[in-house]
Amino acid sequence: SITKTSIRSLLESTLPPPLKGLLKIAAQQAEARGWQLYLVGGAVRDLLLAQSQVHFREFDLVVDSGGTSDLQGAGGELARSIAEDFPEAQLQIYGEFQTAALIWHDESHLGPFSMDIATARSEFYPYPAANPEISVSSIRQDLYRRDFSINALAVRLTGHQNSPQQRGELLDFFGGVEDLEQKLIRVLHPNSFIEDPTRIFRAIRFASRLGFSLDEQTKIYLQTAIASGIYQQTEGNHHKAPALQSRLRNELKYIVQEVHWLRALALIQDLGAWCCIHPDLAMPPSSLRAIKMAARWLEALNPEPGDRRWPIILEVLLLQLPESARLKVAQKLQLPEGSQMRLGQFQALVQRCSDQLQGHPSPSRVVKTLRPYSPELIILGAVCVSVSVRAILWRYLQIWQHVQPMINGATLIEMGYRPGKKFRAMLDFILDATLDGQVSDPASAQQMVRQRFD
Ligand code: CTP
């Protein structure tokens, strides 16, 4: 079980030495200025959940200067001073949000790693930060603006002369530790999903990633937000809608990138949240089957599809909508250009398959039919065609698209032909013969070319 005092030893045992060193330097820099510094968010959650060493890629820090820093905010100043000890880190300062980031790229010994430093809101209401009574109210406010209790925990990294025991103290104002133990996703206030509708999908992502449930009351708030048409309401707002839709797209992307993504999609369905994307969207068993099939095909094509899987999965889901609606949703969500292209070409591919690939088409005919289309589009097509055409598409992707002509251009030159218009026709002719098994070795291929073209 998670005890409040164990966080110090967790920090000691779970963090790799370079990250411990980084936090120590950050804390020293804050202490030297009389500021309070906190580790917040996902890192604290993951530390408390850690069974063994965690691979951290990001720290979120909040600094509270009690209003004693300059206009750029304490976050910027602190980041700049930490950066002096880490010349390999890239420093970014966003004045308007009073936040800063230090980024270590792949090559550096910490990389890839980033550390965000936000400035606590109390910046605007000056008071002495070294006064622990008041300063707690400021980090409390900061944490209260966050999504779920398990993400609203903080560890105080700084200690001060009059209160050194505070260093390493866990701040749990909203019952986050209990929710970690109970495996619950719980919002901090009823309006959380209305204020930030992307939290609907974040709740689903964390629940499926961690194997947690939604707290019953939280589920009611979430479904009330969906029922209020929270996403549709903002659609008319040209100012707000694009940013909200692109954050929604990011959440969908992160969900599909999770290990337990199928579990997450099922939860979206159970909660009735697909309608946030389009009023008629859902995930009936047929869609789920199509999604699983597309995922299997993608994996067969490329065992590490990386960033390529999520758009295709969303495209498969959108196929249940009428063609014009698919494209509209793709644009609204700002799906990658490739997605919009595939959804645009999809109907033409399916038509072409049913025109050209009925019965037992020869491999060369299959290749001619499908060559204009990308493998990803063909996978999309595969979920909507007949079983027999699907088998043909599979063989095209697995075998026929990779077949090379038995002899190449260099051989044609050796044979005395000069590169030109006829060349292409010769190579296509050889490729067709190779695909259809009409030549078995380069010598017979040469003979066939002479017979046909001389
Ligand atoms: N946050 C929030 N509301 C959002 C997005 C983020 O309250 N819509 C807060 C949460 O407290 C979260 C922190 O900002 O912990 C950092 O956000 P992010 O990096 O997206 O979340 P992590 O919890 O770090 O998740 P991950 O493990 O996926 O990085």
Side-chain angles (χ1 to χ4, degrees), residues 270-331:
D270 289 348
L271 292 167
W274 286 121
C275 68
C276 293
I277 298 174
H278 185 279
D280 299 334
L281 200 68
M283 194 178 66
S286 58
S287 271
L288 181 59
R289 271 198 305 277
I291 285 170
K292 285 181 177 169
M293 188 197 119
R296 272 199 314 274
W297 281 46
L298 268 172
E299 202 173 305
L301 205 64
N302 182 352
E304 280 176 51
D307 252 11
R308 280 161 52 170
R309 190 181 64 189
W310 72 269
I312 314 259
I313 299 300
L314 295 183
E315 290 158 35
V316 172
L317 195 79
L318 293 181
L319 290 182
Q320 64 184 275
L321 299 175
E323 196 181 356
S324 60
R326 285 173 207 157
L327 281 170
K328 264 198 205 122
V329 174
Q331 281 166 4

Side-chain angles (χ1 to χ4, degrees), residues 394-413:
W394 175 257
R395 290 173 79 184
Y396 169 76
L397 289 176
Q398 290 296 315
I399 307 165
W400 297 329
Q401 70 160 336
H402 304 296
V403 171
Q404 294 296 323
M406 190 69 76
I407 53 175
N408 58 20
T411 313
L412 291 180
I413 292 170

Side-chain angles (χ1 to χ4, degrees), residues 41-42 45 58 60 146-147 151 196 199 202 205 209:
R45 175 197 70 218
E58 183 191 25
D60 287 311
R146 291 167 186 266
D147 48 6
N151 288 341
D196 181 353
R199 288 178 176 168
R202 287 176 66 83
R205 176 154 67 92
R209 181 200 293 178

Side-chain angles (χ1 to χ4, degrees), residues 32-326:
R33 291 169 173 79
W35 298 348
Q36 306 274 356
L37 183 66
Y38 306 90
L39 177 64
V40 300
V44 182
R45 175 197 70 218
D46 293 341
L47 263 175
L48 290 169
L49 287 173
Q51 302 293 331
S52 56
Q53 283 236 336
V54 192
H55 186 67
F56 289 98
R57 280 190 305 191
E58 183 191 25
F59 279 159
D60 287 311
L61 303 184
V62 172
V63 61
D64 181 9
S65 73
T68 60
S69 61
D70 65 10
L71 268 182
Q72 205 159 46
E77 183 179 333
L78 189 62
R80 197 175 290 119
S81 71
I82 298 168
E84 284 172 19
D85 283 359
F86 297 91
E88 74 280 14
Q90 186 194 335
L91 174 66
Q92 292 177 349
I93 295 183
Y94 313 94
E96 71 268 49
F97 306 120
Q98 313 248 342
T99 61
L102 283 164
I103 297 162
W104 286 264
H105 294 286
D106 285 346
E107 323 73 64
S108 70
H109 78 294
L110 278 176
F113 186 81
S114 67
M115 186 164 84
D116 283 11
I117 308 180
T119 309
R121 284 285 176 92
S122 63
E123 189 82 337
F124 311 109
Y125 317 100
Y127 67 85
N131 176 341
E133 294 301 310
I134 307 180
S135 69
V136 161
S137 85
S138 124
I139 182 70
R140 190 181 189 282
Q141 255 183 51
D142 186 284
L143 296 170
Y144 188 62
R145 288 185 292 114
R146 291 167 186 266
D147 48 6
F148 311 116
S149 63
I150 59 165
N151 288 341
L153 292 158
V155 177
R156 194 198 302 269
L157 300 172
T158 41
H160 290 277
Q161 273 166 351
N162 48 356
S163 53
Q165 77 286 357
Q166 290 187 333
R167 197 179 289 126
E169 178 190 13
L170 178 66
L171 303 179
D172 176 13
F173 299 107
F174 312 106
V177 168
E178 197 187 328
D179 288 338
L180 280 176
E181 281 169 340
Q182 308 276 324
K183 299 182 179 286
L184 284 177
I185 306 292
R186 195 165 52 79
V187 287
L188 305 184
H189 51 82
N191 273 336
S192 195
F193 294 114
I194 305 277
E195 278 169 15
D196 181 353
T198 47
R199 288 178 176 168
I200 295 169
F201 291 90
R202 287 176 66 83
I204 292 165
R205 176 154 67 92
F206 287 117
S208 47
R209 181 200 293 178
L210 304 172
F212 281 24
S213 314
L214 296 192
D215 151 73
E216 280 307 314
Q217 188 62 52
T218 296
K219 202 180 203 172
I220 293 170
Y221 295 147
L222 183 148
Q223 287 177 315
T224 309
I226 294 174
S228 79
I230 185 73
Y231 271 101
Q232 282 77 28
Q233 277 168 30
T234 46
E235 254 163 49
N237 184 335
H238 296 299
H239 198 60
K240 262 189 171 172
L244 188 60
Q245 291 288 335
S246 115
R247 290 177 59 220
L248 171 59
R249 187 235 17 249
N250 281 345
E251 281 305 328
L252 292 168
K253 164 178 159 178
Y254 299 147
I255 282 177
V256 180
Q257 287 174 338
E258 290 280 338
V259 176
H260 299 295
W261 63 282
L262 280 167
R263 199 197 272 176
L265 299 194
L267 189 53
I268 298 177
Q269 172 71 7
D270 289 348
L271 292 167
W274 286 121
C275 68
C276 293
I277 298 174
H278 185 279
D280 299 334
L281 200 68
M283 194 178 66
S286 58
S287 271
L288 181 59
R289 271 198 305 277
I291 285 170
K292 285 181 177 169
M293 188 197 119
R296 272 199 314 274
W297 281 46
L298 268 172
E299 202 173 305
L301 205 64
N302 182 352
E304 280 176 51
D307 252 11
R308 280 161 52 170
R309 190 181 64 189
W310 72 269
I312 314 259
I313 299 300
L314 295 183
E315 290 158 35
V316 172
L317 195 79
L318 293 181
L319 290 182
Q320 64 184 275
L321 299 175
E323 196 181 356
S324 60
R326 285 173 207 157

